[in-house]
PDB file of all heavy atoms in Angstrom:
ATOM      1  N   GLY I  38      -4.279 -10.632   5.696  1.00 97.00           N
ATOM      2  CA  GLY I  38      -4.743 -10.477   4.354  1.00 97.00           C
ATOM      3  C   GLY I  38      -3.682 -10.199   3.313  1.00 97.00           C
ATOM      4  O   GLY I  38      -3.764 -10.635   2.204  1.00 97.00           O
ATOM      5  N   GLU I  39      -2.636  -9.560   3.745  1.00 98.00           N
ATOM      6  CA  GLU I  39      -1.377  -9.314   2.849  1.00 98.00           C
ATOM      7  C   GLU I  39      -0.752 -10.696   2.427  1.00 98.00           C
ATOM      8  O   GLU I  39      -0.483 -10.831   1.259  1.00 98.00           O
ATOM      9  CB  GLU I  39      -0.313  -8.460   3.442  1.00 98.00           C
ATOM     10  CG  GLU I  39      -0.773  -6.955   3.744  1.00 98.00           C
ATOM     11  CD  GLU I  39       0.208  -6.192   4.599  1.00 98.00           C
ATOM     12  OE1 GLU I  39       0.904  -6.878   5.474  1.00 98.00           O
ATOM     13  OE2 GLU I  39       0.353  -5.002   4.429  1.00 98.00           O
ATOM     14  N   LYS I  41      -1.987 -13.487   2.311  1.00 98.00           N
ATOM     15  CA  LYS I  41      -2.976 -14.262   1.376  1.00 98.00           C
ATOM     16  C   LYS I  41      -2.706 -13.724  -0.007  1.00 98.00           C
ATOM     17  O   LYS I  41      -2.772 -14.539  -0.904  1.00 98.00           O
ATOM     18  CB  LYS I  41      -4.353 -14.078   1.857  1.00 98.00           C
ATOM     19  CG  LYS I  41      -4.829 -15.173   2.933  1.00 98.00           C
ATOM     20  CD  LYS I  41      -6.321 -14.897   3.219  1.00 98.00           C
ATOM     21  CE  LYS I  41      -7.249 -15.899   2.428  1.00 98.00           C
ATOM     22  NZ  LYS I  41      -8.607 -15.929   2.983  1.00 98.00           N
ATOM     23  N   SER I  42      -2.649 -12.420  -0.137  1.00 98.00           N
ATOM     24  CA  SER I  42      -2.531 -11.766  -1.373  1.00 98.00           C
ATOM     25  C   SER I  42      -1.256 -12.228  -2.144  1.00 98.00           C
ATOM     26  O   SER I  42      -1.210 -12.557  -3.279  1.00 98.00           O
ATOM     27  CB  SER I  42      -2.537 -10.229  -1.263  1.00 98.00           C
ATOM     28  OG  SER I  42      -3.559  -9.880  -0.428  1.00 98.00           O
ATOM     29  N   ILE I  43      -0.076 -12.108  -1.454  1.00 98.00           N
ATOM     30  CA  ILE I  43       1.124 -12.500  -2.060  1.00 98.00           C
ATOM     31  C   ILE I  43       1.258 -13.929  -2.413  1.00 98.00           C
ATOM     32  O   ILE I  43       1.928 -14.315  -3.343  1.00 98.00           O
ATOM     33  CB  ILE I  43       2.384 -11.860  -1.276  1.00 98.00           C
ATOM     34  CG1 ILE I  43       3.779 -11.935  -2.050  1.00 98.00           C
ATOM     35  CG2 ILE I  43       2.483 -12.497   0.098  1.00 98.00           C
ATOM     36  CD1 ILE I  43       3.870 -11.012  -3.196  1.00 98.00           C
ATOM     37  N   GLU I  45      -0.783 -15.771  -3.708  1.00 98.00           N
ATOM     38  CA  GLU I  45      -1.385 -16.014  -4.946  1.00 98.00           C
ATOM     39  C   GLU I  45      -0.315 -15.797  -6.138  1.00 98.00           C
ATOM     40  O   GLU I  45      -0.289 -16.608  -7.056  1.00 98.00           O
ATOM     41  CB  GLU I  45      -2.562 -15.066  -5.253  1.00 98.00           C
ATOM     42  CG  GLU I  45      -3.788 -15.316  -4.309  1.00 98.00           C
ATOM     43  CD  GLU I  45      -4.402 -16.592  -4.489  1.00 98.00           C
ATOM     44  OE1 GLU I  45      -4.213 -17.178  -5.696  1.00 98.00           O
ATOM     45  OE2 GLU I  45      -5.083 -17.120  -3.610  1.00 98.00           O
ATOM     46  N   TRP I 268      -5.788  -1.550   2.625  1.00 98.00           N
ATOM     47  CA  TRP I 268      -5.227  -2.770   2.934  1.00 98.00           C
ATOM     48  C   TRP I 268      -5.920  -3.232   4.324  1.00 98.00           C
ATOM     49  O   TRP I 268      -5.936  -4.471   4.518  1.00 98.00           O
ATOM     50  CB  TRP I 268      -3.732  -2.630   3.246  1.00 98.00           C
ATOM     51  CG  TRP I 268      -3.225  -1.529   4.023  1.00 98.00           C
ATOM     52  CD1 TRP I 268      -2.951  -1.427   5.389  1.00 98.00           C
ATOM     53  CD2 TRP I 268      -2.923  -0.185   3.464  1.00 98.00           C
ATOM     54  NE1 TRP I 268      -2.601  -0.172   5.671  1.00 98.00           N
ATOM     55  CE2 TRP I 268      -2.568   0.622   4.522  1.00 98.00           C
ATOM     56  CE3 TRP I 268      -2.954   0.352   2.152  1.00 98.00           C
ATOM     57  CZ2 TRP I 268      -2.229   1.982   4.385  1.00 98.00           C
ATOM     58  CZ3 TRP I 268      -2.670   1.711   2.101  1.00 98.00           C
ATOM     59  CH2 TRP I 268      -2.292   2.519   3.115  1.00 98.00           C
ATOM     60  N   LYS I 270      -9.083  -3.390   4.559  1.00 98.00           N
ATOM     61  CA  LYS I 270     -10.119  -4.335   4.173  1.00 98.00           C
ATOM     62  C   LYS I 270      -9.597  -5.722   4.020  1.00 98.00           C
ATOM     63  O   LYS I 270     -10.389  -6.688   4.193  1.00 98.00           O
ATOM     64  CB  LYS I 270     -10.738  -3.797   2.814  1.00 98.00           C
ATOM     65  CG  LYS I 270     -12.146  -4.316   2.713  1.00 98.00           C
ATOM     66  CD  LYS I 270     -12.643  -4.040   1.283  1.00 98.00           C
ATOM     67  CE  LYS I 270     -12.148  -4.916   0.285  1.00 98.00           C
ATOM     68  NZ  LYS I 270     -12.496  -4.603  -1.072  1.00 98.00           N
ATOM     69  N   GLY I 271      -8.421  -5.856   3.558  1.00 98.00           N
ATOM     70  CA  GLY I 271      -7.781  -7.186   3.479  1.00 98.00           C
ATOM     71  C   GLY I 271      -7.972  -8.014   4.822  1.00 98.00           C
ATOM     72  O   GLY I 271      -8.218  -9.181   4.883  1.00 98.00           O
ATOM     73  N   GLU I 272      -7.821  -7.275   5.985  1.00 98.00           N
ATOM     74  CA  GLU I 272      -7.975  -7.903   7.201  1.00 98.00           C
ATOM     75  C   GLU I 272      -9.467  -8.293   7.517  1.00 98.00           C
ATOM     76  O   GLU I 272      -9.754  -9.419   8.010  1.00 98.00           O
ATOM     77  CB  GLU I 272      -7.481  -7.012   8.338  1.00 98.00           C
ATOM     78  CG  GLU I 272      -5.968  -6.686   8.267  1.00 98.00           C
ATOM     79  CD  GLU I 272      -5.103  -7.868   8.079  1.00 98.00           C
ATOM     80  OE1 GLU I 272      -4.997  -8.699   9.053  1.00 98.00           O
ATOM     81  OE2 GLU I 272      -4.380  -7.969   7.016  1.00 98.00           O
ATOM     82  N   THR I 274     -11.613  -8.938   5.276  1.00 98.00           N
ATOM     83  CA  THR I 274     -11.992  -9.992   4.349  1.00 98.00           C
ATOM     84  C   THR I 274     -11.481 -11.360   4.875  1.00 98.00           C
ATOM     85  O   THR I 274     -12.049 -12.373   4.844  1.00 98.00           O
ATOM     86  CB  THR I 274     -11.457  -9.681   2.930  1.00 98.00           C
ATOM     87  OG1 THR I 274     -11.940  -8.399   2.538  1.00 98.00           O
ATOM     88  CG2 THR I 274     -11.915 -10.702   1.941  1.00 98.00           C
ATOM     89  N   ALA I 275     -10.140 -11.326   5.346  1.00 98.00           N
ATOM     90  CA  ALA I 275      -9.408 -12.494   5.810  1.00 98.00           C
ATOM     91  C   ALA I 275     -10.246 -13.073   6.988  1.00 98.00           C
ATOM     92  O   ALA I 275     -10.218 -14.245   7.313  1.00 98.00           O
ATOM     93  CB  ALA I 275      -8.055 -12.241   6.163  1.00 98.00           C
ATOM     94  N   GLU I 331      -7.104  -9.652 -10.345  1.00 98.00           N
ATOM     95  CA  GLU I 331      -8.359  -9.979  -9.697  1.00 98.00           C
ATOM     96  C   GLU I 331      -8.108 -10.538  -8.370  1.00 98.00           C
ATOM     97  O   GLU I 331      -8.562 -10.056  -7.312  1.00 98.00           O
ATOM     98  CB  GLU I 331      -9.240 -10.853 -10.549  1.00 98.00           C
ATOM     99  CG  GLU I 331     -10.580 -11.044  -9.968  1.00 98.00           C
ATOM    100  CD  GLU I 331     -11.508 -12.087 -10.798  1.00 98.00           C
ATOM    101  OE1 GLU I 331     -11.108 -13.277 -10.968  1.00 98.00           O
ATOM    102  OE2 GLU I 331     -12.510 -11.542 -11.340  1.00 98.00           O
ATOM    103  N   VAL I 332      -7.507 -11.715  -8.380  1.00 98.00           N
ATOM    104  CA  VAL I 332      -7.354 -12.493  -7.124  1.00 98.00           C
ATOM    105  C   VAL I 332      -6.575 -11.780  -6.089  1.00 98.00           C
ATOM    106  O   VAL I 332      -6.800 -11.819  -4.914  1.00 98.00           O
ATOM    107  CB  VAL I 332      -6.897 -13.907  -7.303  1.00 98.00           C
ATOM    108  CG1 VAL I 332      -5.404 -14.015  -7.779  1.00 98.00           C
ATOM    109  CG2 VAL I 332      -7.134 -14.808  -6.163  1.00 98.00           C
ATOM    110  N   PHE I 333      -5.468 -11.119  -6.479  1.00 98.00           N
ATOM    111  CA  PHE I 333      -4.636 -10.397  -5.546  1.00 98.00           C
ATOM    112  C   PHE I 333      -5.510  -9.304  -4.897  1.00 98.00           C
ATOM    113  O   PHE I 333      -5.429  -9.130  -3.642  1.00 98.00           O
ATOM    114  CB  PHE I 333      -3.446  -9.735  -6.341  1.00 98.00           C
ATOM    115  CG  PHE I 333      -2.512  -8.983  -5.345  1.00 98.00           C
ATOM    116  CD1 PHE I 333      -1.540  -9.595  -4.763  1.00 98.00           C
ATOM    117  CD2 PHE I 333      -2.648  -7.613  -5.342  1.00 98.00           C
ATOM    118  CE1 PHE I 333      -0.621  -8.894  -3.854  1.00 98.00           C
ATOM    119  CE2 PHE I 333      -1.806  -6.855  -4.554  1.00 98.00           C
ATOM    120  CZ  PHE I 333      -0.810  -7.527  -3.726  1.00 98.00           C
ATOM    121  N   ASN I 334      -6.219  -8.575  -5.735  1.00 98.00           N
ATOM    122  CA  ASN I 334      -6.854  -7.375  -5.191  1.00 98.00           C
ATOM    123  C   ASN I 334      -8.086  -7.707  -4.391  1.00 98.00           C
ATOM    124  O   ASN I 334      -8.432  -6.905  -3.352  1.00 98.00           O
ATOM    125  CB  ASN I 334      -7.110  -6.367  -6.236  1.00 98.00           C
ATOM    126  CG  ASN I 334      -5.843  -5.666  -6.607  1.00 98.00           C
ATOM    127  OD1 ASN I 334      -5.193  -5.044  -5.802  1.00 98.00           O
ATOM    128  ND2 ASN I 334      -5.418  -5.805  -7.868  1.00 98.00           N
ATOM    129  N   LEU I 335      -8.694  -8.841  -4.660  1.00 98.00           N
ATOM    130  CA  LEU I 335      -9.810  -9.364  -3.899  1.00 98.00           C
ATOM    131  C   LEU I 335      -9.338  -9.578  -2.377  1.00 98.00           C
ATOM    132  O   LEU I 335     -10.006  -9.367  -1.440  1.00 98.00           O
ATOM    133  CB  LEU I 335     -10.331 -10.629  -4.417  1.00 98.00           C
ATOM    134  CG  LEU I 335     -11.233 -10.439  -5.633  1.00 98.00           C
ATOM    135  CD1 LEU I 335     -11.600 -11.847  -6.222  1.00 98.00           C
ATOM    136  CD2 LEU I 335     -12.560  -9.707  -5.363  1.00 98.00           C
ATOM    137  N   ASN I 336      -8.120 -10.061  -2.266  1.00 98.00           N
ATOM    138  CA  ASN I 336      -7.618 -10.358  -0.964  1.00 98.00           C
ATOM    139  C   ASN I 336      -6.902  -9.123  -0.361  1.00 98.00           C
ATOM    140  O   ASN I 336      -6.984  -9.008   0.895  1.00 98.00           O
ATOM    141  CB  ASN I 336      -6.478 -11.462  -1.085  1.00 98.00           C
ATOM    142  CG  ASN I 336      -7.072 -12.807  -1.206  1.00 98.00           C
ATOM    143  OD1 ASN I 336      -7.822 -13.229  -0.437  1.00 98.00           O
ATOM    144  ND2 ASN I 336      -6.685 -13.479  -2.368  1.00 98.00           N
ATOM    145  N   LYS I 337      -6.360  -8.247  -1.109  1.00 98.00           N
ATOM    146  CA  LYS I 337      -5.497  -7.201  -0.644  1.00 98.00           C
ATOM    147  C   LYS I 337      -6.361  -5.969  -0.186  1.00 98.00           C
ATOM    148  O   LYS I 337      -5.864  -5.154   0.578  1.00 98.00           O
ATOM    149  CB  LYS I 337      -4.561  -6.713  -1.686  1.00 98.00           C
ATOM    150  CG  LYS I 337      -3.448  -5.778  -1.265  1.00 98.00           C
ATOM    151  CD  LYS I 337      -2.429  -6.370  -0.325  1.00 98.00           C
ATOM    152  CE  LYS I 337      -1.221  -5.590  -0.054  1.00 98.00           C
ATOM    153  NZ  LYS I 337      -1.504  -4.321   0.687  1.00 98.00           N
ATOM    154  N   GLY I 338      -7.597  -5.919  -0.592  1.00 98.00           N
ATOM    155  CA  GLY I 338      -8.370  -4.745  -0.268  1.00 98.00           C
ATOM    156  C   GLY I 338      -8.286  -3.540  -1.315  1.00 98.00           C
ATOM    157  O   GLY I 338      -9.082  -2.626  -1.233  1.00 98.00           O
ATOM    158  N   SER I 339      -7.446  -3.669  -2.204  1.00 98.00           N
ATOM    159  CA  SER I 339      -7.239  -2.678  -3.220  1.00 98.00           C
ATOM    160  C   SER I 339      -8.075  -2.947  -4.460  1.00 98.00           C
ATOM    161  O   SER I 339      -8.786  -3.922  -4.459  1.00 98.00           O
ATOM    162  CB  SER I 339      -5.732  -2.598  -3.491  1.00 98.00           C
ATOM    163  OG  SER I 339      -5.104  -3.900  -3.546  1.00 98.00           O
ATOM    164  N   PHE I 351     -15.997  -8.166  -7.025  1.00 98.00           N
ATOM    165  CA  PHE I 351     -15.427  -7.136  -6.011  1.00 98.00           C
ATOM    166  C   PHE I 351     -16.587  -6.730  -5.106  1.00 98.00           C
ATOM    167  O   PHE I 351     -17.732  -6.535  -5.563  1.00 98.00           O
ATOM    168  CB  PHE I 351     -14.784  -5.946  -6.741  1.00 98.00           C
ATOM    169  CG  PHE I 351     -13.343  -6.337  -7.231  1.00 98.00           C
ATOM    170  CD1 PHE I 351     -13.060  -6.884  -8.482  1.00 98.00           C
ATOM    171  CD2 PHE I 351     -12.331  -6.232  -6.358  1.00 98.00           C
ATOM    172  CE1 PHE I 351     -11.917  -7.235  -8.934  1.00 98.00           C
ATOM    173  CE2 PHE I 351     -10.936  -6.645  -6.781  1.00 98.00           C
ATOM    174  CZ  PHE I 351     -10.785  -7.119  -7.995  1.00 98.00           C
TER     175      PHE I 351
END
Side-chain angles (χ1 to χ4, degrees):
E39 291 173 330
K41 275 180 96 171
S42 314
I43 189 72
E45 295 293 338
W268 44 94
K270 201 191 74 188
E272 299 306 299
T274 308
E331 179 183 69
V332 70
F333 178 83
N334 288 301
L335 285 171
N336 286 302
K337 189 71 170 68
S339 37
F351 285 93

